[in-house]
Amino acid sequence: MSLKDLVISLFQLDKDWTTRIVMGMLVLGLIWGLLGVIDSLMVRIQETAWGTYGVLAMTSQEYYGGITLHAERDLFGFAEQVEFALFIYFTIKLLNIQPRAKWLLNAAFIAINISMMFMEGPIVVYPSFNDNYFSATDWYYLSPMGIPSYSQYVVSPLFFIGWLLLDSFTYMASVWIIYHYYIASKSLKEKLPVALVFFLMNTLLYAIGYSGVTAADIWDVLAYAGIVGLNPIANQIAFWIFGHAIVYMAWLPAVAAMYLLIPTLANKPLFSDRMGRVSALLYLIFSNNVPIHHLYMVNLPVAIKILQEVLTYAVVVPSMMTFLNLWATAKGAQVNFNVITAFISTAFAGAIAAGVTGIANATISFDSIIHNSMWVVGHFHAMILLSIVPAAMAVLYFMIPMMTGRQWYSSKMAWVHYIGYTIGASILIIGFEMIGFYGVVRRAEIYPRVPGLVLAENLATVGALLAEISTLVWFVNLVATLVKGRTAKLEGLSLGQLINTVAMSLDWTSAGFKLNNFNKIGKTMNNKALGIDWILGIIGALVIILSTIPLALGGDMYNAMPWAWIFLLTLGIILISYPVLKGAKSL
């Protein structure tokens, strides 16, 4: 294959103009994402090197540059760009309308990728040469850092102009999508499917959520030029209208994916269509008006902080409605075990696990303990890595064949991706939250080298490496698919039929894995002796007895023994509880 053919395949240049733009956004989004992953790896190497060997592998500027470059590239260049690519593609395909305003979409595409370049630094020698690490703005919200006359450290103005270009992308792309929903509404005879309701709602959420940061960015530029003064607290509050909403901007496409895929894979209608629509409305209402819950430690009136706490709890309502609705939809269904099912199930479970820590995080008394610690980083990485990314992968696994007309090159590589990524992401999050419980603040380059904390840091690094290597396997599989994937016969299929067709090619057995042996073992054990459930109960009882040994050897308990005790005790309880109740036909 020539270089020309590779470029055509990679960017789908032989397809219609919307597919070309969407594929361009996906490709550049993945490039920014991979760069951001490298940045995160630099951070992990620095912290592991310090804990294990007492040395710093790179300069502090490189370390802090890596942290913020990771956030900027992965959250905006990757996540936001890829999400809008999905919104654009499915808006056109599912609404079945002729796309318009090509110039607007092209301008938006150019704006976001230039914005990433402008934010990076060092780019230019201005006003005089310095390191220009925009990361010294500490993820930006520590206003007014980086602005002349307000901060001893002055960054290039291109940093703030880059933010304005990001704002411009968000509004241009949002207007384009909302305009096409308006066009479609003139001919629609029925209500939008719930998944499309969430895509529209999420687009509105982006437009509303970016209002605060756009105001803060304009204010910053005017203050940088000396035209107006700056109120740091007001500037922070304006920014955090975006700062909290971005969590839901990033996560709610995962909810849309669940509403699309779970009924399709379960081959059942949604349990409650109305519940899905009402939850979308509630998400839109309660996702933008809680910026101060990230500023509990700022000197603001206690009453408004309590109001923010209550409003944050309100977001739990549409989440519980969503989880109940989707669980009831899937209950009792016979679902084929494939990569798409595995990823969307992980997204469902991961959202619940990460969401629980979010409720704790919103509680003022609890926040006063873990505020700005690595526990908070663990919370939002749990939401990103165990819900947002798995849902995006579930969609991309059927969207790529849908766009290209090619089946995935290797189903084995797809399963290696899923298993390695899920295990790695889980280990990383466990490490982050352990670090937070030790009281280490986020961005702590140097920390006490106590054994438990060093173990937590190394766990996070091992998990990150495993997840990143597994994602690299997916990327290789993607390129191979675009270039060598076998032709898929998807023409004329409905979206549901297409999803199930692609899913069948990615099931467990198509990758060469067999479940028959496991089934035979289970049947044999059930037909002999007490049966598997009762045997597990006996094993559980023995494990509980054995758990007293590390407890007895615990000494002052400042060692691994209490952990071994609680692990064995919990494992024994689980082995007794479910199997015995099931064996006694109670469940």
Side-chain angles (χ1 to χ4, degrees), residues 518-538:
F518 294 101
N519 293 334
K520 289 177 182 178
I521 292 171
K523 289 178 180 178
T524 301
M525 293 184 72
N526 274 324
N527 291 331
K528 294 182 179 180
L530 295 173
I532 183 65
D533 295 321
W534 295 100
I535 290 173
L536 287 175
I538 294 172

Short mmCIF file of all heavy atoms in Angstrom, two decimals, residues 518-538:
data_model
loop_
_atom_site.label_atom_id
_atom_site.label_comp_id
_atom_site.label_asym_id
_atom_site.label_seq_id
_atom_site.Cartn_x
_atom_site.Cartn_y
_atom_site.Cartn_z
N PHE A 518 -15.09 -24.90 30.78
CA PHE A 518 -15.57 -24.38 32.06
C PHE A 518 -16.98 -24.88 32.35
O PHE A 518 -17.32 -25.20 33.48
CB PHE A 518 -15.54 -22.85 32.04
CG PHE A 518 -14.15 -22.29 31.95
CD1 PHE A 518 -13.66 -21.83 30.74
CD2 PHE A 518 -13.32 -22.25 33.05
CE1 PHE A 518 -12.38 -21.32 30.66
CE2 PHE A 518 -12.03 -21.74 32.98
CZ PHE A 518 -11.56 -21.28 31.76
N ASN A 519 -17.82 -24.92 31.33
CA ASN A 519 -19.20 -25.39 31.51
C ASN A 519 -19.22 -26.86 31.95
O ASN A 519 -20.00 -27.26 32.80
CB ASN A 519 -19.99 -25.22 30.22
CG ASN A 519 -20.21 -23.76 29.89
OD1 ASN A 519 -20.20 -22.92 30.77
ND2 ASN A 519 -20.39 -23.45 28.60
N LYS A 520 -18.32 -27.69 31.34
CA LYS A 520 -18.28 -29.11 31.70
C LYS A 520 -17.86 -29.30 33.15
O LYS A 520 -18.40 -30.12 33.87
CB LYS A 520 -17.31 -29.84 30.77
CG LYS A 520 -17.81 -29.99 29.34
CD LYS A 520 -16.77 -30.67 28.47
CE LYS A 520 -17.26 -30.77 27.02
NZ LYS A 520 -16.22 -31.38 26.14
N ILE A 521 -16.86 -28.53 33.57
CA ILE A 521 -16.39 -28.61 34.95
C ILE A 521 -17.52 -28.27 35.91
O ILE A 521 -17.76 -28.96 36.91
CB ILE A 521 -15.19 -27.67 35.17
CG1 ILE A 521 -13.98 -28.18 34.38
CG2 ILE A 521 -14.83 -27.58 36.65
CD1 ILE A 521 -12.81 -27.21 34.36
N GLY A 522 -18.26 -27.22 35.61
CA GLY A 522 -19.35 -26.79 36.47
C GLY A 522 -20.43 -27.85 36.58
O GLY A 522 -20.94 -28.14 37.65
N LYS A 523 -20.78 -28.49 35.42
CA LYS A 523 -21.82 -29.51 35.42
C LYS A 523 -21.38 -30.73 36.22
O LYS A 523 -22.15 -31.33 36.97
CB LYS A 523 -22.16 -29.90 33.98
CG LYS A 523 -22.92 -28.82 33.22
CD LYS A 523 -23.19 -29.26 31.78
CE LYS A 523 -23.93 -28.18 31.02
NZ LYS A 523 -24.17 -28.56 29.61
N THR A 524 -20.10 -31.11 36.08
CA THR A 524 -19.58 -32.27 36.81
C THR A 524 -19.64 -32.04 38.31
O THR A 524 -20.07 -32.90 39.08
CB THR A 524 -18.13 -32.55 36.38
OG1 THR A 524 -18.10 -32.78 34.97
CG2 THR A 524 -17.57 -33.77 37.12
N MET A 525 -19.22 -30.86 38.74
CA MET A 525 -19.21 -30.56 40.18
C MET A 525 -20.62 -30.47 40.73
O MET A 525 -20.86 -30.82 41.88
CB MET A 525 -18.46 -29.25 40.43
CG MET A 525 -16.96 -29.34 40.12
SD MET A 525 -16.08 -27.84 40.52
CE MET A 525 -16.09 -27.92 42.30
N ASN A 526 -21.57 -30.03 39.92
CA ASN A 526 -22.94 -29.92 40.40
C ASN A 526 -23.59 -31.29 40.57
O ASN A 526 -24.51 -31.44 41.36
CB ASN A 526 -23.77 -29.09 39.42
CG ASN A 526 -23.65 -27.61 39.71
OD1 ASN A 526 -23.55 -27.22 40.86
ND2 ASN A 526 -23.65 -26.78 38.68
N ASN A 527 -23.09 -32.25 39.79
CA ASN A 527 -23.72 -33.57 39.85
C ASN A 527 -23.11 -34.48 40.91
O ASN A 527 -23.53 -35.61 41.09
CB ASN A 527 -23.59 -34.26 38.47
CG ASN A 527 -24.45 -33.57 37.43
OD1 ASN A 527 -25.48 -32.99 37.77
ND2 ASN A 527 -24.02 -33.62 36.17
N LYS A 528 -22.07 -34.00 41.57
CA LYS A 528 -21.40 -34.82 42.57
C LYS A 528 -21.40 -34.13 43.93
O LYS A 528 -21.46 -32.93 44.03
CB LYS A 528 -19.97 -35.11 42.14
CG LYS A 528 -19.88 -35.98 40.88
CD LYS A 528 -18.43 -36.26 40.53
CE LYS A 528 -18.34 -37.15 39.29
NZ LYS A 528 -16.93 -37.44 38.94
N ALA A 529 -21.24 -34.97 44.96
CA ALA A 529 -21.09 -34.48 46.33
C ALA A 529 -22.17 -33.47 46.69
O ALA A 529 -23.34 -33.68 46.42
CB ALA A 529 -19.69 -33.89 46.51
N LEU A 530 -21.76 -32.33 47.32
CA LEU A 530 -22.72 -31.36 47.82
C LEU A 530 -23.16 -30.36 46.75
O LEU A 530 -24.10 -29.62 46.97
CB LEU A 530 -22.10 -30.59 49.00
CG LEU A 530 -21.80 -31.41 50.25
CD1 LEU A 530 -21.05 -30.56 51.24
CD2 LEU A 530 -23.10 -31.93 50.86
N GLY A 531 -22.46 -30.32 45.64
CA GLY A 531 -22.75 -29.28 44.65
C GLY A 531 -21.84 -28.08 44.85
O GLY A 531 -21.37 -27.82 45.96
N ILE A 532 -21.60 -27.36 43.78
CA ILE A 532 -20.63 -26.28 43.79
C ILE A 532 -20.97 -25.18 44.79
O ILE A 532 -20.09 -24.62 45.46
CB ILE A 532 -20.46 -25.69 42.36
CG1 ILE A 532 -19.37 -24.60 42.33
CG2 ILE A 532 -21.78 -25.14 41.85
CD1 ILE A 532 -18.00 -25.11 42.63
N ASP A 533 -22.27 -24.83 44.93
CA ASP A 533 -22.65 -23.75 45.83
C ASP A 533 -22.31 -24.07 47.29
O ASP A 533 -21.75 -23.24 48.02
CB ASP A 533 -24.14 -23.44 45.70
CG ASP A 533 -24.49 -22.90 44.32
OD1 ASP A 533 -23.68 -22.11 43.79
OD2 ASP A 533 -25.53 -23.28 43.77
N TRP A 534 -22.64 -25.29 47.69
CA TRP A 534 -22.38 -25.68 49.09
C TRP A 534 -20.89 -25.84 49.34
O TRP A 534 -20.39 -25.53 50.43
CB TRP A 534 -23.13 -26.97 49.42
CG TRP A 534 -24.61 -26.78 49.38
CD1 TRP A 534 -25.45 -27.13 48.38
CD2 TRP A 534 -25.41 -26.17 50.38
NE1 TRP A 534 -26.75 -26.78 48.68
CE2 TRP A 534 -26.75 -26.19 49.92
CE3 TRP A 534 -25.16 -25.62 51.64
CZ2 TRP A 534 -27.82 -25.67 50.65
CZ3 TRP A 534 -26.21 -25.10 52.38
CH2 TRP A 534 -27.53 -25.12 51.88
N ILE A 535 -20.15 -26.32 48.34
CA ILE A 535 -18.69 -26.45 48.48
C ILE A 535 -18.04 -25.08 48.68
O ILE A 535 -17.17 -24.90 49.53
CB ILE A 535 -18.09 -27.17 47.25
CG1 ILE A 535 -18.52 -28.64 47.24
CG2 ILE A 535 -16.57 -27.04 47.22
CD1 ILE A 535 -18.13 -29.38 45.99
N LEU A 536 -18.49 -24.11 47.89
CA LEU A 536 -17.97 -22.75 48.04
C LEU A 536 -18.27 -22.21 49.43
O LEU A 536 -17.46 -21.48 50.02
CB LEU A 536 -18.56 -21.83 46.97
CG LEU A 536 -18.02 -22.03 45.55
CD1 LEU A 536 -18.79 -21.14 44.57
CD2 LEU A 536 -16.53 -21.72 45.48
N GLY A 537 -19.45 -22.56 49.97
CA GLY A 537 -19.79 -22.12 51.32
C GLY A 537 -18.85 -22.69 52.36
O GLY A 537 -18.42 -21.98 53.28
N ILE A 538 -18.49 -23.97 52.22
CA ILE A 538 -17.54 -24.60 53.15
C ILE A 538 -16.17 -23.95 53.03
O ILE A 538 -15.50 -23.67 54.03
CB ILE A 538 -17.46 -26.11 52.88
CG1 ILE A 538 -18.80 -26.78 53.21
CG2 ILE A 538 -16.32 -26.75 53.67
CD1 ILE A 538 -18.89 -28.22 52.80
#
